[in-house]
Amino acid sequence: MEALASNPRRSTASNKQQQEAKIPKPQRPNQFPSHRDAVHVSPNARKLCELLTRTPPNDIETALTNCGIRPSHDEVHEVLGLCYSVPSSAVKFFRWAGQLQKHSGHAWNLMVDLLGKNGVFEYMWDAIRSMKQQKQLALPTFVSVFESYCTAGRFNEAFMSFDVMDRYGIQPDVVAVNSLLSAICREDNQTTVALDFFHKIKGKIPPDGDTFAILLEGWEKEGNAAKAKSTFGEMVVRIGWDRKNMAAYDAFLMTLVRALQVDEAVKFLKVMKDHDCFPGLKFFTNALDIIIKQNDAANAVILWDVMLESALVVPNLVMYNAVIGLLCNNNQIDHAFRLLDQMAFQGVFPDSLTYNIVFECLVRNKKVHVAERFFNEMVKNECPPTSTNCTSAIAMFFDRDDPEAAQSIWTYMVENHIKPLSDAANEVLLGLCQLGRLSEVKRSAEDMLDRKIMIYESTMAKLKDAFYRDSRTARDRYDSLSRRWKAHGKL
């Protein structure tokens, strides 16, 4: 305990207040959790946190003595975990609580972590020496030290901490190696630093699957496919193939996919299948998500086919919709239909979204006859088209001289309450008008007004032009319709 009050390497003339004054305030206090943000905090822990954050530093010990609270071990853990932003006050609380009962190993580890995360490394080592004296040291203590040094960018000190573990009675093993590698790789663009340490230590402490997974995840984060291939090759040579190492395999494959090296990923997938290490649904979901964001339809098809040919992974509806959407966005209708036809064989059935994605593509590409048949299939399978798709289809069918199909869709919309109806209704009127079917225009428009469907002013202007150019009788029919339209607008 006393090591937190005074450093044995310092002059004995230094008093406790001078030592504590050297504990700096955290540079970014908001990065740490606070009792004000935490939901589940015990009443005593919350009171103690309030005391530590609101009381002037010189008055904290007196305030703690007079607070009337004797914190349990769990409450000490709570307070320390929520007081990273006030390290000086936390040290005083830790010392005070230690006078009431012996601290647990977890409390010591929290204190080491708190001091390290605040960059107070001399005090951190004081605490570690005290832990050694009390036989409280364990590997998690050094894991915290690694993290603190790496977060501060002080990698050499992290390495030196690893080197002195045995002096503190902790034998460095592969778990310790992996902990240090993980701490390094969490920092941006530092996987090369981790790799250098790996090369220095691998002769003394043999790596395991987790070692390579950490490095490969680092290369994935940095997007370094060349280094990932090298690390993966060494992994296979050193530890062979094992399904327990799927995290490493997934990271390696994802690095290739992110680097647009899907062809390389496919080669490795085939090798992995031969060694019973084929990845699962998670990899293919993530990989396809990346490829879709890159709008890379060709590679999506390649990866999709490899997945299905394996007979080991069954895609779900979300994946089907995503890839069909990508293919349709790239106007690859034949591939989209191939996936649509596959679905039932995989035990997956299309939903309204699936059908609407394909229908929208058919309409956009003006595939008149295919779109008409597909619309009928949608209706048959109770997967209704959206109002937007119906509107676009009506316009397309009129434009391609298939008014019967357009009218069929409009009738379906009205009878099945596919709303909103206004856009589609106006397309019907304009389509009939272009065909010169003015009697049908007037009859349809009156029906729409009866249904309180809005007819746009721009539509009425085009209708007026067509009626007025036709004949005097047609002009009178338009004027009658216009009066009804104006009266409808005032309702």
Side-chain angles (χ1 to χ4, degrees):
M1 252 335 252
E2 201 53 33
L4 282 177
S6 62
N7 189 331
R9 292 176 295 174
R10 299 192 184 99
S11 168
T12 55
S14 299
N15 58 42
K16 187 167 63 177
Q17 285 74 22
Q18 290 173 324
Q19 298 294 325
E20 289 166 352
K22 294 181 181 179
I23 299 179
K25 292 182 179 179
Q27 294 181 350
R28 294 178 295 166
N30 292 334
Q31 70 181 313
F32 298 126
S34 164
H35 66 284
R36 297 185 181 90
D37 304 321
V39 178
H40 302 293
V41 183
S42 66
N44 281 348
R46 189 174 293 279
K47 290 177 184 177
L48 288 167
C49 288
E50 285 290 334
L51 184 154
L52 294 175
T53 54
R54 294 180 181 275
T55 306
N58 293 335
D59 299 334
I60 284 179
E61 291 174 332
T62 301
L64 286 169
T65 301
N66 297 329
C67 71
I69 299 174
R70 186 182 180 89
S72 65
H73 283 302
D74 287 342
E75 289 167 343
V76 170
H77 302 161
E78 278 189 273
V79 173
L80 292 175
L82 295 170
C83 284
Y84 276 53
S85 60
V86 284
S88 179
S89 299
V91 168
K92 292 180 179 180
F93 166 77
F94 185 80
R95 185 183 299 110
W96 170 77
Q99 293 170 353
L100 302 177
Q101 61 181 337
K102 183 179 179 180
H103 281 304
S104 67
H106 183 49
W108 276 104
N109 281 332
L110 282 168
M111 179 51 62
V112 167
D113 193 61
L114 182 153
L115 293 168
K117 294 299 187 295
N118 279 282
V120 194
F121 295 113
E122 288 187 74
Y123 280 87
M124 178 186 76
W125 282 105
D126 283 347
I128 291 171
R129 281 186 284 274
S130 293
M131 291 180 75
K132 180 184 178 184
Q133 292 171 2
Q134 298 191 20
K135 301 187 185 304
Q136 295 273 26
L137 267 180
L139 178 58
T141 310
F142 279 91
V143 172
S144 171
V145 172
F146 300 154
E147 291 174 353
S148 295
Y149 275 130
C150 291
T151 300
R154 297 167 70 163
F155 301 108
N156 287 335
E157 281 135 306
F159 300 146
M160 287 188 285
S161 300
F162 180 88
D163 291 338
V164 301
M165 287 177 64
D166 55 350
R167 300 183 197 174
Y168 287 82
I170 307 297
Q171 189 63 35
D173 57 10
V174 69
V175 177
V177 171
N178 293 345
S179 298
L180 179 48
L181 290 174
S182 180
I184 298 169
C185 290
R186 275 198 292 272
E187 304 305 312
D188 292 339
N189 302 312
Q190 298 299 330
T191 309
T192 299
V193 175
L195 185 67
D196 290 342
F197 173 72
F198 166 75
H199 285 316
K200 291 175 183 176
I201 201 67
K202 64 185 180 184
K204 302 175 183 176
I205 302 175
D208 63 7
D210 289 341
T211 311
F212 288 102
I214 292 164
L215 292 171
L216 288 167
E217 287 167 0
W219 296 132
E220 179 191 356
K221 187 170 73 169
E222 295 181 19
N224 195 328
K227 289 287 189 181
K229 290 178 186 177
S230 175
T231 300
F232 184 77
E234 182 170 357
M235 175 184 179
V236 173
V237 170
R238 281 186 168 271
I239 63 176
W241 296 94
D242 192 327
R243 286 193 59 80
K244 292 187 296 184
N245 298 325
M246 291 306 299
Y249 304 152
D250 282 2
F252 172 58
L253 291 169
M254 288 299 294
T255 307
L256 297 179
V257 171
R258 292 181 194 278
L260 306 181
Q261 297 183 20
V262 176
D263 54 339
E264 287 286 296
V266 168
K267 292 178 185 177
F268 282 105
L269 280 168
K270 292 177 180 177
V271 175
M272 290 176 181
K273 183 182 178 184
D274 292 340
H275 290 87
D276 193 29
C277 290
F278 200 75
L281 189 64
K282 178 183 176 182
F283 161 72
F284 285 99
T285 300
N286 293 336
L288 286 168
D289 183 58
I290 291 170
I291 293 173
I292 289 168
K293 288 178 180 177
Q294 294 167 343
N295 197 34
D296 188 352
N299 277 323
V301 171
I302 292 171
L303 194 63
W304 185 272
D305 289 344
V306 170
M307 175 179 64
L308 286 191
E309 288 169 5
S310 73
L312 298 171
V313 179
V314 178
N316 55 36
L317 178 59
V318 173
M319 293 173 70
Y320 266 106
N321 284 344
V323 177
I324 289 173
L326 172 67
L327 295 171
C328 287
N329 287 339
N330 286 273
N331 299 321
Q332 296 191 15
I333 301 174
D334 291 341
H335 277 308
F337 271 112
R338 180 167 68 88
L339 263 67
L340 190 63
D341 293 339
Q342 287 175 359
M343 293 180 74
F345 295 102
Q346 298 295 327
V348 183
F349 299 95
D351 62 1
S352 291
L353 176 60
T354 319
Y355 278 109
N356 272 286
I357 290 170
V358 177
F359 187 53
E360 189 273 336
C361 181
L362 294 172
V363 171
R364 187 177 67 248
N365 286 276
K366 302 188 185 304
K367 303 291 185 179
V368 180
H369 300 302
V370 180
E372 185 176 4
R373 289 196 301 269
F374 197 76
F375 169 77
N376 292 330
E377 183 180 342
M378 293 175 73
V379 173
K380 177 182 176 182
N381 292 326
E382 299 182 347
C383 291
T386 63
S387 173
T388 300
N389 277 348
C390 286
T391 301
S392 299
I394 288 170
M396 186 270 290
F397 282 128
F398 273 121
D399 183 62
R400 294 291 165 148
D401 297 322
D402 192 350
E404 287 73 20
Q407 289 278 39
S408 175
I409 292 178
W410 170 247
T411 301
Y412 175 82
M413 290 184 72
V414 172
E415 291 178 351
N416 292 274
H417 309 289
I418 308 297
K419 296 183 178 181
L421 291 167
S422 297
D423 287 349
N426 282 268
E427 289 293 346
V428 169
L429 295 178
L430 292 172
L432 292 171
C433 185
Q434 289 170 358
L435 294 174
R437 298 183 179 182
L438 300 185
S439 296
E440 288 184 58
V441 169
K442 185 173 186 297
R443 186 168 59 250
S444 296
E446 288 175 339
D447 179 67
M448 292 170 187
L449 292 174
D450 288 340
R451 296 177 184 276
K452 295 182 170 54
I453 298 171
M454 181 185 298
I455 300 175
Y456 304 141
E457 187 174 345
S458 59
T459 301
M460 290 298 293
K462 292 178 181 178
L463 298 185
K464 179 179 180 180
D465 183 63
F467 274 87
Y468 270 53
R469 281 190 289 104
D470 186 73
S471 66
R472 178 69 185 179
T473 302
R475 180 183 300 183
D476 291 341
R477 282 186 289 170
Y478 172 80
D479 290 341
S480 172
L481 174 64
S482 180
R483 285 191 293 272
R484 280 205 61 190
W485 175 70
K486 290 176 181 178
H488 179 271
K490 293 178 182 179
L491 295 178

